[in-house]
Amino acid sequence: MKDASVLEALLTAARAAGADQADALLVHSASLSVQRRLGAIEQLERSESIDIGLRVFLGDRMAIVSGTDASVSGFAALAERAVAMARVVPADGYATLLEALPPMDAGPLDLTDDAEPDADALLATAAIAEEAAMAVHGVTNSEGASAGWSRGRRALATTRGFFGTYARSSHSLSATALAGEGTGMQRDYDYSSATYLSDLEAAAEIGRSAGERAVARLNPIRPKSTRLSVVYDPRVASSLIGHLVSAINGASIARGTSFLKDALGKRILPVGAMVWDDPLRPRGPRSRPFDGEGQPGIRRALIEDGVLTTWLLDGRSGKQLGMASTGHAGRGTGGPPSPSPTNLWLAAGSLTPAALMADIREGLYVTELIGMGVNGITGDYSRGAAGFMIRDGQLAEAVGEITIAGKLPEMFLAMTAANDLVFKRGTDVPTLRIDGMTLAGA
């Protein structure tokens, strides 16, 4: 059966079981992944699955059931279980099924690549990456290289008349290298992911980068504790925007558990700073024509000229806050929708990374962050880190076993972006500089 017919049958079963309203999600997925280490195959895995999820409403009560059998013959029992659950759960005055809106055509988003590499092709790509890493002088071992492909299709239907579907593909490649000997060994990695195989970075470049990164980290020092300027490599700078977006998640705002709960309409980044969220970016890794509640995707500035313009809202959090959904409902088959971003980026600044560091007499360039030491309620920030000292505007010796700390509201306002923004991941951020942070070391 076609997806539309399957979902209509499931919704019909929900109404027959007594549901006032319902929505249903169908997810098809297929993937192939390989891992190679020191010339040997360590993993070769293929999977295919079909998952269904049904959400039913009885007045202010809601329940969700999920399964892996899309046979129409089992829908009546599935729906009856969902309705039985809804009868006994506590009432939720904010549970809602949103008004149906016409779905956007997913075609312009260009999310499906016809290229489907087989296991031999993936192993060959992983081999190129690993061999390039091992060829770097100073690399002594490998944790392997992996390559993968996946394709999926999602279809959503509601009793309010919505039906939409879209498919997407993904290709990935990574390599991890070890440098040095014994207790002095250092590890680093590089990776690439893309919707289209043709957009994936070259395997040899990924491997070489992983090897060079590992070698550069040899013989780290542990500097003394001090206050200094910290420059974040783009690979880790994205985590700062991740903390920001978590803090403007509508569910956290509704609970009052965010350090930015009173920040709407206020300046939280420097003048001129822009943070964008765009579910409609062609070939974007998080692009989608509609969200988990059938709401259309809209490109919007979350931060405009440094000012917070919106929360990230799904239907429930929007209703709690007396606002409309912003189309940010993320959803799987086994749980309720919840706010989540799509393709995020912080707009580039005007300085090159070299110019951004030029006046730093002594600072820190961070290439790796460790741990999850962020308090979402207070904004306290403390992360283990590794990277390099900056001396007289230049990268110097490697450093490790340190912690960097600050307060996120102050860090956001002290942020300066370089001009090296590259679109390659779900969250893209240029090199960032933040002055006045605390380094805890020796």
Side-chain angles (χ1 to χ4, degrees), residues 150-172:
S150 67
R151 180 178 293 139
R153 187 172 77 251
R154 297 170 66 90
L156 175 69
T158 79
T159 52
R160 299 194 67 172
F162 177 87
F163 174 77
T165 184
Y166 66 96
R168 69 172 314 116
S169 58
S170 177
H171 300 266
S172 63

Side-chain angles (χ1 to χ4, degrees), residues 87-228:
R87 295 187 191 281
V88 298
V89 299
D92 180 358
Y94 301 112
T96 184
L97 188 65
L98 297 180
E99 177 185 356
L101 297 170
M104 172 189 164
D105 177 15
L109 301 185
D110 199 15
L111 299 180
T112 53
D113 181 11
D114 291 335
E116 182 177 336
D118 59 20
D120 289 340
L122 292 178
L123 286 167
T125 300
I128 293 171
E130 184 177 39
E131 289 165 6
M134 294 296 294
V136 174
H137 180 69
V139 170
T140 54
N141 208 336
S142 167
E143 286 192 358
S146 61
W149 160 90
S150 67
R151 180 178 293 139
R153 187 172 77 251
R154 297 170 66 90
L156 175 69
T158 79
T159 52
R160 299 194 67 172
F162 177 87
F163 174 77
T165 184
Y166 66 96
R168 69 172 314 116
S169 58
S170 177
H171 300 266
S172 63
L173 172 66
S174 67
T176 304
L178 297 166
E181 302 287 348
T183 59
M185 294 183 78
Q186 293 293 324
R187 166 190 176 278
D188 215 318
Y189 67 95
D190 204 353
Y191 72 98
S192 176
S193 61
T195 299
Y196 271 66
L197 180 62
S198 59
D199 294 334
L200 207 62
E201 293 181 47
E205 177 61 23
I206 292 294
R208 183 193 61 77
S209 174
E212 290 179 349
R213 285 174 178 269
V215 171
R217 293 180 62 167
L218 288 171
N219 305 312
I221 67 165
R222 191 181 184 201
K224 293 182 179 180
S225 299
T226 186
R227 286 179 63 84
L228 43 58

Side-chain angles (χ1 to χ4, degrees), residues 64-358:
I64 296 172
V65 294
S66 61
T68 57
D69 184 0
S71 301
V72 173
S73 60
F75 286 175
L78 189 73
E80 288 167 3
R81 286 198 297 272
V83 171
M85 292 169 58
R87 295 187 191 281
V88 298
V89 299
D92 180 358
Y94 301 112
T96 184
L97 188 65
L98 297 180
E99 177 185 356
L101 297 170
M104 172 189 164
D105 177 15
L109 301 185
D110 199 15
L111 299 180
T112 53
D113 181 11
D114 291 335
E116 182 177 336
D118 59 20
D120 289 340
L122 292 178
L123 286 167
T125 300
I128 293 171
E130 184 177 39
E131 289 165 6
M134 294 296 294
V136 174
H137 180 69
V139 170
T140 54
N141 208 336
S142 167
E143 286 192 358
S146 61
W149 160 90
S150 67
R151 180 178 293 139
R153 187 172 77 251
R154 297 170 66 90
L156 175 69
T158 79
T159 52
R160 299 194 67 172
F162 177 87
F163 174 77
T165 184
Y166 66 96
R168 69 172 314 116
S169 58
S170 177
H171 300 266
S172 63
L173 172 66
S174 67
T176 304
L178 297 166
E181 302 287 348
T183 59
M185 294 183 78
Q186 293 293 324
R187 166 190 176 278
D188 215 318
Y189 67 95
D190 204 353
Y191 72 98
S192 176
S193 61
T195 299
Y196 271 66
L197 180 62
S198 59
D199 294 334
L200 207 62
E201 293 181 47
E205 177 61 23
I206 292 294
R208 183 193 61 77
S209 174
E212 290 179 349
R213 285 174 178 269
V215 171
R217 293 180 62 167
L218 288 171
N219 305 312
I221 67 165
R222 191 181 184 201
K224 293 182 179 180
S225 299
T226 186
R227 286 179 63 84
L228 43 58
S229 296
V230 174
V231 178
Y232 286 76
D233 182 89
R235 190 169 70 174
V236 293
S238 60
S239 66
L240 293 170
I241 300 306
H243 299 320
L244 187 155
V245 170
S246 294
I248 63 171
N249 184 296
S252 297
I253 301 302
R255 291 193 301 266
T257 56
S258 168
F259 65 91
L260 292 179
K261 64 183 180 180
D262 299 316
L264 190 62
K266 298 179 181 178
R267 184 173 307 284
I268 62 171
L269 292 185
V271 173
M274 302 285 292
V275 175
W276 293 92
D277 178 277
D278 186 7
L280 306 180
R281 195 172 89 202
R283 301 193 183 187
R286 298 178 187 160
S287 295
R288 59 193 186 195
F290 55 85
D291 73 352
E293 296 177 303
Q295 300 302 292
I298 300 173
R299 182 179 189 266
R300 65 178 74 224
L302 306 181
I303 310 292
E304 187 169 3
D305 193 23
V307 175
L308 177 63
T309 66
T310 184
W311 309 125
L312 297 188
L313 301 172
D314 63 350
R316 187 178 190 279
S317 60
K319 193 172 182 180
Q320 284 179 287
L321 296 169
M323 304 171 74
S325 168
T326 56
H328 283 99
R331 183 179 177 187
T333 56
S338 61
S340 64
T342 63
N343 301 301
L344 278 171
W345 74 91
L346 172 69
S350 59
L351 298 175
T352 65
L356 193 70
M357 297 189 296

Side-chain angles (χ1 to χ4, degrees), residues 16 42 52 73 100 105 132 138 157 187 221 237 300-301 304 360 377-378 384 390 399 406 409 421 435:
E42 288 208 328
I52 56 172
S73 60
D105 177 15
R187 166 190 176 278
I221 67 165
R300 65 178 74 224
E304 187 169 3
I360 298 177
I377 298 176
T378 65
I390 301 171
V399 297
L421 176 67
D435 295 330

